C-alpha cells in the first residue's frame, strides 16, 4: 500500500483486513481466467468511464487468497470478527443482499414449520416472506400509535408480557428496533421477559447500525443481550447499498445452522465490493463515528429548531419518549409533520424532489421523514429548511386538508403465510373482496410495511385505507395488479 493511500484513509491497515487485501489483490498483475467476465478493467470500457478503473479491478470473485464467504477461514473471517467485536456480538456474518436476506437467514435458522413467532404489525415485508419460507406462524402484537403523526410507534413490554402469558408455546419474538421513524422500545425489558421463558429475541435493527457508536443514541440490541440482530450497515453506517450484517449470540444460536441458512440464500458470488465496504464503514465508525454522529445530532437539532418555526410544520422526536412503547428516540431521524400546510406528506415529498432537488426518505399521509447521517452537511440541512419554507409559502389546494382518522389495522389471520402462498388463487374486483382471504401483500413503499398480507382477512376498513392511499398518490407495491383495481385472493 502506498504512503499516499495510507495518509488518505488514516486507518491502520490491520483494522481493514478485507478492504486492504482487496485493494492489494486488484493491483497485482494477475492473468484472470475466472469470472467476472469483464476481467478487471479490460473488457467493458464504458463501465471504466462511469465507475472508474479502481472499482472495476476490485470487482472480483472468490479465490484462495481472498477467502470465501460461504466458509470463511481467512481474510473474510478476520474482517467478520472485527465487525462482531465492534457490535459486542459473538459472531458476525457479511450479507450482500440487504437486511431482507439477513432477516430471512435469521428466521430460517431459528424457526421450524409450525413454530409461533410474536411479531409487531408494523414489520417489514421480509418477515412475512421469511415465514413463507419456513412455515412459521405469526402471532401479531399491535405497536402503540401516535394519532397526531398518524404512525405506529413501538411495542410495549407490558403487551409483550400479556401475550407471552397467553401463548406459552412461542418460539421467538421479532422486534423492530428502531422503527422506520426512530422509535425504540424498552428492548432490555423485553429481552428479560422473553429469556425468562426461553423465548428467542430476534431484532430487526436495520435502521440502527449507528447506535453502538455514540452515547446519545439508543443502545444497540446486542449490547442488551438480544439473540440475533440484522443490521443495515449501508443505511446509517456508511457502507454501499445492500451491504448488511447478521449478528448472533452463540450462547443461544447455532452458528453452523446460521451459516448453512445464509449459504442457502446468498449468492456463491457474493460481491467483494459490498463486503469490503462493510469493513471500511466499520473502521470509520470506530475511528470517526463519535465525531461524525455528534455532528449529525447537532445538525438534526438545528433543523428541528428551524423547521418548528415554520407555520404549519411540526417536528417531533424526543417528545415521543413520553408515549407508551417508546423508551428511546433516534434523534437523527426527523419526522416532519406537514398537515398544517393543507398538504399530504406524499405531496411535500414530491415537491421537494421535483422543485428543489431535495430527496427525503419517505412521505406518508401526514409526514415526511428525513435522515440526518454521518455524511450530511449543514448545506444539505439549510437547503432542506429553505425548500420547506418556500413550500409552506405556496398556495395549497383551496379545500382544507381532510383530517383523516387513521386507525391501526388489526389483522385477522385465517391461514399462515406459507399456506396462503401455496393455495389456489383468483383475482377479483377490489370492491368485492371484503371477507375474502388475501393471497398477496399490499403495501406502501417506503417503508414496506404490509397493509394486508397473505393469509389475512380483507376487511372493509382495509379496502377504505387502500383507496385513501390511492387517492393521495401513495406508491403501492407488491400486488399483482399494479393499478390495484383487483386483488389476489384465495379461491
Amino acid at each position: 500500500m502506498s504512503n499516499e493511500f495510507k495518509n488518505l484513509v488514516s486507518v491502520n491497515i490491520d483494522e481493514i483486513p478485507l478492504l486492504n487485501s482487496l485493494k492489494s489483490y486488484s493491483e497485482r498483475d494477475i492473468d484472470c481466467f475466472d469470472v467476472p467476465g469483464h476481467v478487471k478493467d479490460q473488457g467493458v470500457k464504458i463501465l471504466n468511464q462511469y465507475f472508474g478503473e479502481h472499482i472495476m479491478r476490485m470487482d472480483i470473485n472468490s479465490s484462495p487468497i481472498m477467502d470465501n464467504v460461504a466458509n470463511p477461514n481467512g481474510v473474510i473471517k478476520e474482517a467478520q470478527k472485527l465487525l462482531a467485536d465492534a457490535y459486542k456480538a459473538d459472531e458476525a456474518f457479511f450479507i450482500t443482499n440487504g437486511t431482507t436476506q439477513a432477516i430471512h437467514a435469521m428466521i430460517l435458522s431459528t424457526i421450524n414449520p409450525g413454530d409461533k413467532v410474536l411479531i409487531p404489525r408494523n414489520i417489514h415485508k421480509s418477515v412475512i416472506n421469511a415465514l413463507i419460507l419456513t412455515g412459521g406462524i405469526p402471532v401479531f402484537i399491535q405497536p402503540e400509535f401516535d394519532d397526531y403523526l398518524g404512525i405506529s410507534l413501538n411495542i410495549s413490554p407490558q403487551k409483550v408480557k400479556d401475550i407471552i402469558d397467553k401463548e406459552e408455546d412461542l418460539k421467538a419474538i421479532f422486534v423492530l428496533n428502531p422503527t422506520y421513524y426512530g422509535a425504540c422500545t424498552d428492548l432490555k425489558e423485553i429481552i428479560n421477559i422473553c429469556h425468562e421463558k426461553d423465548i428467542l429475541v430476534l431484532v430487526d435493527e436495520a435502521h440502527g447500525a449507528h447506535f453502538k457508536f455514540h452515547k446519545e443514541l439508543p443502545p444497540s440490541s446486542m449490547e442488551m443481550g438480544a439473540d440475533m440482530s440484522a443490521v443495515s450497515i449501508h443505511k446509517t453506517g456508511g457502507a454501499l447499498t445492500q451491504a448488511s450484517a447478521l449478528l448472533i449470540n452463540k450462547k443461544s444460536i447455532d452458528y453452523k445452522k446460521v451459516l448453512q441458512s445464509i449459504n442457502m440464500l446468498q449468492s456463491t458470488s457474493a460481491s467483494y465490493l459490498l463486503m469490503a465496504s462493510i469493513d471500511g464503514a466499520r473502521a470509520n465508525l470506530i475511528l470517526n463515528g463519535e465525531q461524525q454522529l455528534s455532528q449529525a445530532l447537532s445538525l438534526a437539532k438545528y433543523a428541528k429548531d428551524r423547521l418548528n418555526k415554520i407555520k404549519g410544520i411540526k417536528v417531533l422526536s424526543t417528545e415521543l419518549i413520553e408515549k407508551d412503547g417508546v423508551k428511546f428516540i433516534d434523534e437523527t431521524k426527523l419526522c416532519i409533520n406537514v398537515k398544517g400546510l393543507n398538504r399530504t406528506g406524499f405531496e411535500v415529498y414530491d415537491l421537494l424532489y421535483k422543485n428543489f432537488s431535495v430527496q427525503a426518505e419517505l412521505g406518508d399521509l401526514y409526514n415526511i421523514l428525513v435522515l440526518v447521517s454521518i455524511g450530511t452537511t449543514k448545506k444539505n440541512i439549510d437547503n432542506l429548511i429553505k425548500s420547506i419554507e418556500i413550500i409552506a409559502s405556496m398556495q395549497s389546494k383551496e379545500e382544507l386538508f381532510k383530517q383523516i382518522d387513521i386507525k391501526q389495522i388489526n389483522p385477522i389471520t385465517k391461514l399462515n403465510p406459507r399456506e396462503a402462498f401455496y393455495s389456489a388463487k383468483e383475482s377479483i374486483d377490489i370492491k368485492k373482496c371484503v371477507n375474502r382471504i388475501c393471497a398477496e401483500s399490499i403495501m406502501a413503499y417506503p417503508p414496506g410495511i404490509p397493509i394486508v398480507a397473505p393469509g389475512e382477512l380483507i376487511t372493509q376498513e382495509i379496502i377504505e385505507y387502500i383507496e385513501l392511499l390511492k387517492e393521495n398518490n401513495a406508491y403501492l407495491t407488491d400486488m399483482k395488479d399494479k393499478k390495484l383495481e383487483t386483488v389476489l385472493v384465495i379461491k
Side-chain angles (χ1 to χ4, degrees):
M1 179 181 288
S2 68
N3 289 330
E4 180 184 2
F5 188 72
K6 285 183 182 179
N7 293 334
L8 177 66
V9 296
S10 301
V11 177
N12 187 314
I13 60 173
D14 293 333
E15 295 172 335
I16 46 170
L18 181 56
L19 184 59
N20 179 58
S21 294
L22 181 60
K23 184 174 188 299
S24 297
Y25 184 83
S26 72
E27 292 172 345
R28 294 178 60 181
D29 186 15
I30 299 174
D31 294 317
C32 295
F33 294 96
D34 61 347
V35 297
H38 58 72
V39 189
K40 300 187 285 191
D41 59 346
Q42 298 172 192
V44 187
K45 300 305 179 184
I46 190 171
L47 295 184
N48 295 347
Q49 293 168 8
Y50 276 77
F51 294 161
E53 293 178 0
H54 291 301
I55 290 288
M56 298 305 295
R57 292 180 68 85
M58 286 192 283
D59 183 37
I60 67 165
N61 199 23
S62 299
S63 70
I65 297 174
M66 291 303 299
D67 203 1
N68 190 311
V69 73
N71 184 30
N73 288 296
V75 68
I76 292 177
K77 182 177 181 179
E78 184 182 352
Q80 288 186 153
K81 181 65 171 69
L82 287 169
L83 184 65
D85 292 345
Y87 281 97
K88 303 301 181 186
D90 289 336
E91 297 285 350
F93 301 87
F94 289 158
I95 303 294
T96 57
N97 195 28
T99 296
T100 289
Q101 183 196 327
I103 287 170
H104 288 173
M106 179 191 294
I107 293 178
L108 190 63
S109 61
T110 56
I111 302 302
N112 297 323
D115 283 345
K116 291 182 179 179
V117 187
L118 183 60
I119 58 177
R121 191 57 183 83
N122 58 333
I123 42 83
H124 189 264
K125 66 177 182 177
S126 57
V127 181
I128 298 296
N129 292 338
L131 294 179
I132 291 173
L133 292 173
T134 64
I137 299 173
V139 176
F140 286 110
I141 177 172
Q142 278 293 358
E144 302 304 317
F145 194 78
D146 187 283
D147 292 311
Y148 182 83
L149 296 175
I151 62 171
S152 294
L153 299 175
N154 217 312
I155 56 177
S156 71
Q158 186 58 51
K159 276 189 180 179
V160 171
K161 187 177 186 306
D162 291 344
I163 294 178
I164 286 176
D165 288 342
K166 296 175 184 177
E167 298 274 356
E168 295 184 355
D169 55 346
L170 283 169
K171 176 70 175 294
I173 181 173
F174 189 93
V175 184
L176 180 63
N177 203 66
T179 66
Y180 218 107
Y181 295 88
C184 298
T185 183
D186 188 345
L187 183 58
K188 181 64 176 175
E189 179 63 18
I190 289 174
I191 290 170
N192 291 338
I193 291 168
C194 292
H195 281 178
E196 282 181 6
K197 297 201 173 185
D198 295 323
I199 296 171
L200 295 173
V201 180
L202 315 177
V203 182
D204 177 354
E205 203 169 24
H207 290 267
H210 56 311
F211 284 179
K212 176 67 179 63
F213 304 97
H214 201 283
K215 60 182 179 298
E216 293 180 21
L217 291 168
S220 64
S221 60
M222 299 309 290
E223 285 183 289
M224 290 185 281
D227 298 290
M228 301 183 80
S229 171
V231 184
S232 291
I233 311 295
H234 71 97
K235 281 187 167 69
T236 58
L240 297 179
T241 297
Q242 283 189 211
S244 184
L246 185 56
L247 310 172
I248 70 169
N249 180 340
K250 287 179 71 175
K251 298 181 188 70
S252 52
I253 301 297
D254 184 345
Y255 169 88
K256 292 182 179 179
K257 188 169 184 182
V258 175
L259 182 59
Q260 181 185 33
S261 299
I262 290 171
N263 287 341
M264 288 175 63
L265 300 166
Q266 185 152 268
S267 170
T268 52
S269 301
S271 169
Y272 273 80
L273 289 171
L274 296 184
M275 291 189 289
S277 80
I278 297 173
D279 201 28
R282 184 261 316 146
N284 177 70
L285 285 169
I286 291 172
L287 295 167
N288 306 311
E290 184 174 3
Q291 177 186 351
Q292 290 179 323
L293 290 167
S294 290
Q295 174 73 358
L297 287 163
S298 177
L299 287 172
K301 184 180 184 304
Y302 165 71
K304 178 182 175 182
D305 292 344
R306 287 283 305 277
L307 289 167
N308 276 335
K309 293 176 181 176
I310 301 173
K311 186 178 179 180
I313 294 292
K314 180 63 178 174
V315 184
L316 290 178
S317 57
T318 51
E319 294 89 343
L320 295 176
I321 295 175
E322 300 172 4
K323 303 277 187 177
D324 288 342
V326 184
K327 176 75 171 179
F328 304 100
I329 279 287
D330 177 5
E331 293 186 65
T332 66
K333 295 178 174 65
L334 298 179
C335 184
I336 304 172
N337 189 273
V338 299
K339 61 185 176 183
L341 303 181
N342 293 336
R343 296 184 185 275
T344 67
F346 301 121
E347 289 179 272
V348 175
Y349 175 93
D350 287 341
L351 284 169
L352 282 170
Y353 177 72
K354 293 176 181 176
N355 292 22
F356 304 98
S357 296
V358 172
Q359 179 66 66
E361 174 67 10
L362 66 81
D364 61 32
L365 281 170
Y366 288 167
N367 316 282
I368 60 167
L369 180 69
V370 301
L371 309 184
V372 185
S373 73
I374 59 174
T376 305
T377 66
K378 187 173 183 296
K379 179 183 175 183
N380 299 146
I381 295 293
D382 285 336
N383 285 343
L384 170 70
I385 294 166
K386 182 179 179 181
S387 301
I388 293 179
E389 285 175 339
I390 295 172
I391 292 172
S393 69
M394 294 164 58
Q395 185 176 3
S396 62
K397 51 193 176 187
E398 291 185 7
E399 63 179 68
L400 290 176
F401 175 76
K402 182 182 177 184
Q403 188 77 3
I404 303 157
D405 183 18
I406 300 177
K407 298 177 181 178
Q408 286 181 300
I409 295 171
N410 292 295
I412 301 170
T413 302
K414 292 294 187 178
L415 296 174
N416 74 45
R418 185 178 179 88
E419 290 175 325
F421 182 80
Y422 286 108
S423 296
K425 307 170 183 67
E426 61 179 341
S427 293
I428 63 172
D429 189 296
I430 190 170
K431 295 181 176 62
K432 298 179 180 179
C433 63
V434 175
N435 293 326
R436 297 292 297 270
I437 299 173
C438 194
E440 61 184 347
S441 286
I442 301 173
M443 67 196 72
Y445 186 86
I449 298 169
I451 299 163
V452 62
E456 293 177 358
L457 189 70
I458 301 172
T459 63
Q460 183 63 37
E461 179 185 39
I462 288 171
I463 297 302
E464 290 174 359
Y465 185 56
I466 290 172
E467 294 290 359
L468 175 65
L469 292 174
K470 286 171 62 179
E471 289 170 12
N472 285 280
N473 299 315
Y475 180 68
L476 297 168
T477 184
D478 274 39
M479 58 280 178
K480 181 179 178 181
D481 178 2
K482 301 307 176 187
K483 294 183 179 179
L484 206 49
E485 294 172 350
T486 62
V487 176
L488 200 62
V489 299
I490 304 297
K491 279 188 177 180

